[in-house]
Amino acid sequence: MPFTMPLLSSNRISFCFPHPLNFNSDLWIGKRDRIAVSREVSTNLTASVASSPPPDSVRGDSVAGGARDVKKLESEGLELLYDDGYTSSSEIDYTDLVRSDGAPPRWFCPVECGRPIKGSPLLLFLPGIGGLGMGLILHHKALGKVFEVRCMHIPVYDRTPFEGMVKIVEATVRLEHAMCPDKPIYLVGDSFGGCVALAVAAHNPNIDLILILSNPATSFGRSQLQPFLPILEALPDLSFIMGDPAKMAMASVESGLPPLEALDQLPRILSSMLPHLFDFADIMPKDTLLWKLKLLRSAASYANSRLHAVKAEVLVLASGKDNILPSRDEAQRLRNSLRNCRVRYFKDYGHTLLLEDGIRLLTIIKGASMYRRSRRLDYVSDYLPPSMTEYTEIFRLKYRLFFQATSPVMLSTLNDGKIVSGLAGVPNEGPVLLVGYHTLMAFELSPLIDAFLREKNVMVRGVAHPLFFTEKFETSLQEFTVFDEIKVFGAVPVSASYIFRLFSSKSFVLLYPGGVREAFHRKGEEYKLFWPEQPEFVRMAARFGATIVPFGVVGEDDIAELVIDYNDQMSIPITRDLIKQTNKGFKRLRTNMNGEVANQDLYIPGILPKIPGRFYFLFGKPFETKGRMGNLRDRENANEVYLQIKSEVESILSYLKKKREEDPYRGILQRIVYQATRGSTDEVPTFEP
C-alpha cells in the first residue's frame, strides 16, 4: 500500500514511499546544497506513517512563491486571473541526482504544489528513462492548484523490470480508484513514462484514466537511440561518450549534408540531447545505461502490443523538433491506433517538451476539454478560470496588435439612459445575460471578453456552437488553436441546461440569438439581425431574476470586406459538396424553425482585410427581470419583452453607425499620431456620446 507522507520538507520536495518502506541509506535531493535524510531521520519518520495525511491534505507548511490562502483556495475554488506560478521555477533548481539508496521506485509530492482546490483529481507523473521525476518542475505550482500531484522517482541504479514498474503504478491506481471510484486519475507520461501509462491503462480498462503522453517512447524501435545498443555493448566504458556529448549529437545530424548545414544543425540537436545526457550525469556506469536502454526497448514493445486494450482518454503531446524520438509520426500512429486519442502538436519544440519555455500543460489540458473531477465532463462545475499567465499570453500578447489596430471603444448606458464611457452601466453582479449582434467571423469576441476582464474582473461565459467542442475536424497534428482558447476562456456548448446552470451560479452569460447565420452572414447583410421568432431566453432569465443587457457592435465593415459568401460557394459544385460534407457531422440547431434562422450551415467566407477602422461597442440600458417571473411566464408577455430587446439592439447598431462618423480617430493613422504624441498607453478618445 503506497503511503502519502512528507518525508523531506526542504523548500522544495516532500517524499512519499510505496511499501515496503525502505530507508537503508542516505538520500540526497535539493538545490545546490545537498540535503541528507539519514537513517536516524528515517527511523523517526517511520512511526508517523500510520497518521499520514489524507490525499487532499497539505503536503508542506507553505507554498513557495507566495500562494493565496489555502483555505480560501479550497473552499471557493480558483480566483479569476489567479497567479498560476509559471516561470517561477527552473530546472536548474534540481541539478543533483538522487543517489542509489537501495529503495525501490517511489512517489514524491512536491511541496510547492501546495493544496489543490476541493475535489481535485489525482495526477501521477511518470518520468522518462532518467527517472528523476522532476519533469513537471515548471508546472508544479499550476498543476498543484487543481490536481493532487505525485511524481514517481526511479533511483539511478534501480533494476526493476518494466513489468514491475507497471505493477507499482497499477497498485497505486487501483488503491486510489477504490478510495475515490467516481474521480478520474490522470497519468502524465513523459517519454518512457508514456509506455508505463499505456500499459497500466491496458490492464485497467474499467478504471477512469486520462492519459497525457509527452513524446511517448512507443516509437523507440524507430528512434535514433536504438542503434546505440550494439555500440555501447562493444565499448569498454562510457567515459568516451559521456565526456564528449558533441559526438553523440553529431550522430543525429542528417547524413550527406554540406558542412555548413551540418554545423547549423549541431547546436539544436545538442541542446535537445543534453538534458538526457545529464540525467545520466556523474559518468553513469556502462551497465546502468545499457540496462535503461534495454528497459526502454522492452517498454515500447510491451506497450505497443497492448494498444488495442486501451480504453482511456488519451492526449498525445508531440514535438516537431524531437531529435531523440520520431514523435511527430508517432502521434499520428497512436491517434489511428487508439480508440479515444487526440493530439496537440508543437512544431517548434524538442523532446524535453515539458521542460521548455512556452509550454503550459494545464492550459493544454483545459483547452482540450480534458479537465474534469468526475466521470463526465461538466463545462460549468469543472470549469477553471483563466490564470494571469493565460490572460497575458493570449489576450495581452497574441491579440495585442489586433487591439491596437482596432482600438475598441466601450460604451454603456446607465439606468437613467445616459451613455457613458466604459462598462459602468453594466451590473457588477450576476446573473447577467448579454444579448447582442454577432459580427462577421465573431471579430468582436476578444475585445468584449478582454474589456470585462480588465474593467469588471468578470469572466463572460459564451454560449457557443457545438462545432467548438467536437473532435471531428481535429487532425493528427492538431495545434493549439482558437478552438482551445475559447474553452480556456469559458465557452460552453449551446444548450438550455448549460444556460440554466450558468444562471444558477450567477454567471455573466453571452448569448447570440442570431447564431451561425448572423456570424456567417452574406454580402450586404452586415448589421442585420437573424433572430428566431420565439422568445428563447426571456423566460429562463426571468426564472433566475437575471438582468438582460442588450448590446451592439459595429466595425466589421471597417476591417474586412466579404468577397466570397455562402451563396457564391453554393453555386460552385466543388465547394457546395464540401460545405454539405462538412456540415453533415454537426449537431443541427433550430431544426424545428423556419426561415433564415434555420439556415445554420458553417462555411469559411472569403474576406479581404482593410486598413483597419475601429470597433464600437454600446451596452444598452439593463432590463431587470427580477420579480417578474409570474408576469413573464406568459408567452405573450415574454414575446413582448423579447421584441423590445431586439428593437433595442437594432437601435444601438443604428446609433453606432451614425455616431462613428463623428469620431476624429476612426482611422488608424489618426490614432497612431495621437498615441505617438500622447503616449502609446493612453486610451484614444472617441465621439461625444
Side-chain angles (χ1 to χ4, degrees), residues 465-467 470 472-473 516-517 520 522 566 569-570 575-589 591 598-604:
H465 192 280
L467 157 74
T470 182
K472 177 179 177 179
F473 294 108
V516 168
R517 180 61 182 87
F520 292 86
R522 323 307 186 221
Y566 177 81
Q569 296 189 32
M570 290 298 286
T575 54
R576 180 178 64 243
D577 293 342
L578 180 61
I579 291 174
K580 289 182 177 179
Q581 183 64 32
T582 299
N583 285 271
K584 185 181 295 184
F586 285 141
K587 178 182 178 181
R588 304 295 293 180
L589 302 177
T591 54
N599 187 1
Q600 295 279 334
D601 280 350
L602 290 158
Y603 78 105
I604 300 177

Side-chain angles (χ1 to χ4, degrees), residues 17-216:
F17 291 73
H19 82 97
L21 291 174
N22 191 335
F23 307 109
N24 294 328
S25 60
D26 291 352
L27 176 70
W28 288 274
I29 195 72
K31 295 182 72 173
R32 295 291 182 180
D33 296 325
R34 292 180 173 178
I35 305 171
V37 176
S38 66
R39 294 185 181 88
E40 291 75 19
V41 174
S42 302
T43 302
N44 293 335
L45 287 171
T46 304
S48 68
V49 171
S51 59
S52 61
D56 283 339
S57 63
V58 178
R59 293 178 293 276
D61 294 333
S62 63
V63 181
R68 291 175 289 108
D69 183 81
V70 293
K71 292 183 179 179
K72 183 175 184 180
L73 186 68
E74 183 183 36
S75 62
E76 299 180 9
L78 296 175
E79 293 176 346
L80 185 60
L81 303 184
Y82 66 97
D83 178 10
D84 56 19
Y86 274 121
T87 73
S88 59
S89 296
S90 169
E91 183 184 5
I92 299 176
D93 290 341
Y94 297 92
T95 54
D96 291 327
L97 287 174
V98 178
R99 301 295 186 177
S100 177
D101 56 4
R106 78 293 303 267
W107 302 103
F108 67 88
C109 306
V111 172
E112 62 188 358
C113 285
R115 168 178 282 178
I117 59 176
K118 189 174 182 180
S120 295
L122 174 68
L123 184 149
L124 301 176
F125 174 65
L126 309 174
I129 197 64
L132 183 60
M134 300 310 300
L136 290 182
I137 183 173
L138 299 181
H139 312 267
H140 283 166
K141 292 181 181 179
L143 294 174
K145 295 182 186 298
V146 296
F147 289 104
E148 183 202 338
V149 179
R150 300 184 201 167
C151 304
M152 172 170 275
H153 168 70
I154 306 171
V156 172
Y157 301 118
D158 179 74
R159 291 294 187 270
T160 303
F162 181 73
E163 292 84 349
M165 205 78 68
V166 171
K167 288 180 180 178
I168 292 174
V169 179
E170 200 170 36
T172 301
V173 165
R174 290 178 177 176
L175 175 63
E176 293 293 335
H177 175 69
M179 292 191 296
C180 301
D182 295 327
K183 280 187 182 182
I185 298 174
Y186 286 73
L187 301 181
V188 177
D190 184 16
S191 190
F192 167 76
C195 298
V196 179
L198 287 167
V200 171
H203 291 173
N204 299 273
N206 297 322
I207 295 180
D208 186 8
L209 297 175
I210 298 177
L211 275 53
I212 313 295
L213 311 180
S214 176
N215 295 324

Side-chain angles (χ1 to χ4, degrees), residues 266-501:
L266 182 59
R268 174 171 52 83
I269 295 172
L270 182 60
S271 64
S272 175
M273 296 182 70
L274 281 177
H276 296 274
L277 299 179
F278 290 144
D279 274 354
F280 307 113
D282 294 341
I283 309 182
M284 180 182 295
K286 170 186 171 182
D287 59 343
T288 299
L289 181 54
L290 284 173
W291 161 262
K292 287 184 175 290
L293 290 177
K294 290 178 179 178
L295 180 66
L296 194 58
R297 182 171 60 184
S298 66
S301 176
Y302 190 100
N304 282 321
S305 67
R306 289 160 175 79
L307 293 181
H308 65 279
V310 177
K311 295 182 180 179
E313 292 181 66
V314 180
L315 178 63
V316 177
L317 312 182
S319 296
K321 295 181 179 179
D322 188 342
N323 295 298
I324 304 296
L325 299 171
S327 294
R328 180 182 183 275
D329 296 338
E330 184 65 3
Q332 296 175 306
R333 186 184 77 90
L334 289 176
R335 185 173 183 268
N336 295 328
S337 302
L338 296 169
R339 303 185 191 186
N340 189 6
C341 180
R342 304 168 66 187
V343 173
R344 289 297 179 269
Y345 178 59
F346 305 91
K347 60 182 178 181
D348 297 321
Y349 289 83
H351 184 73
T352 55
L353 182 66
L354 298 177
L355 289 174
E356 296 188 32
D357 184 48
I359 296 297
R360 312 287 183 240
L361 181 56
L362 180 57
T363 305
I364 295 167
I365 293 172
K366 288 160 51 174
S369 296
M370 295 187 73
Y371 181 82
R372 54 185 171 87
R373 301 180 183 92
S374 58
R375 288 188 173 275
R376 298 190 63 177
L377 174 65
D378 187 304
Y379 286 97
V380 175
S381 62
D382 288 326
Y383 178 65
L384 300 173
S387 68
M388 182 56 74
T389 301
E390 291 165 341
Y391 170 71
T392 300
E393 293 189 351
I394 293 178
F395 276 88
R396 295 290 87 197
L397 296 179
K398 182 175 181 179
Y399 292 112
R400 177 173 57 88
L401 292 179
F402 179 73
F403 292 161
Q404 289 178 347
T406 58
S407 298
V409 173
M410 294 290 164
L411 305 169
S412 61
T413 310
L414 302 178
N415 287 327
D416 60 4
K418 181 181 179 181
I419 298 176
V420 296
S421 178
L423 302 178
V426 179
N428 293 320
E429 296 183 357
V432 170
L433 178 63
L434 305 174
V435 183
Y437 169 70
H438 216 353
T439 67
L440 179 66
M441 299 289 288
F443 286 133
E444 84 287 353
L445 270 179
S446 54
L448 187 152
I449 293 173
D450 179 62
F452 274 82
L453 284 170
R454 284 188 296 105
E455 189 169 336
K456 302 191 82 69
N457 194 34
V458 164
M459 184 72 250
V460 175
R461 305 294 303 274
V463 181
H465 192 280
L467 157 74
F468 290 97
F469 304 90
T470 182
E471 301 172 24
K472 177 179 177 179
F473 294 108
E474 288 192 6
T475 68
S476 57
L477 294 176
Q478 180 70 38
E479 298 186 26
F480 192 90
T481 66
V482 67
F483 281 41
D484 295 313
E485 289 174 2
I486 69 161
K487 286 175 277 189
V488 171
F489 283 86
V492 302
V494 58
S495 73
S497 61
Y498 274 127
I499 296 176
F500 181 96
R501 297 187 59 200

Side-chain angles (χ1 to χ4, degrees), residues 585-634:
F586 285 141
K587 178 182 178 181
R588 304 295 293 180
L589 302 177
R590 294 168 170 168
T591 54
N592 60 337
M593 297 182 182
N594 299 317
E596 285 294 324
V597 73
N599 187 1
Q600 295 279 334
D601 280 350
L602 290 158
Y603 78 105
I604 300 177
I607 60 176
L608 289 177
K610 292 183 176 181
I611 296 176
R614 200 170 190 185
F615 272 122
Y616 302 86
F617 291 77
L618 173 57
F619 295 87
K621 184 178 178 180
F623 184 89
E624 300 286 349
T625 67
K626 190 174 183 179
R628 299 190 59 184
M629 177 59 190
N631 177 263
L632 294 178
R633 186 179 289 126
D634 179 78

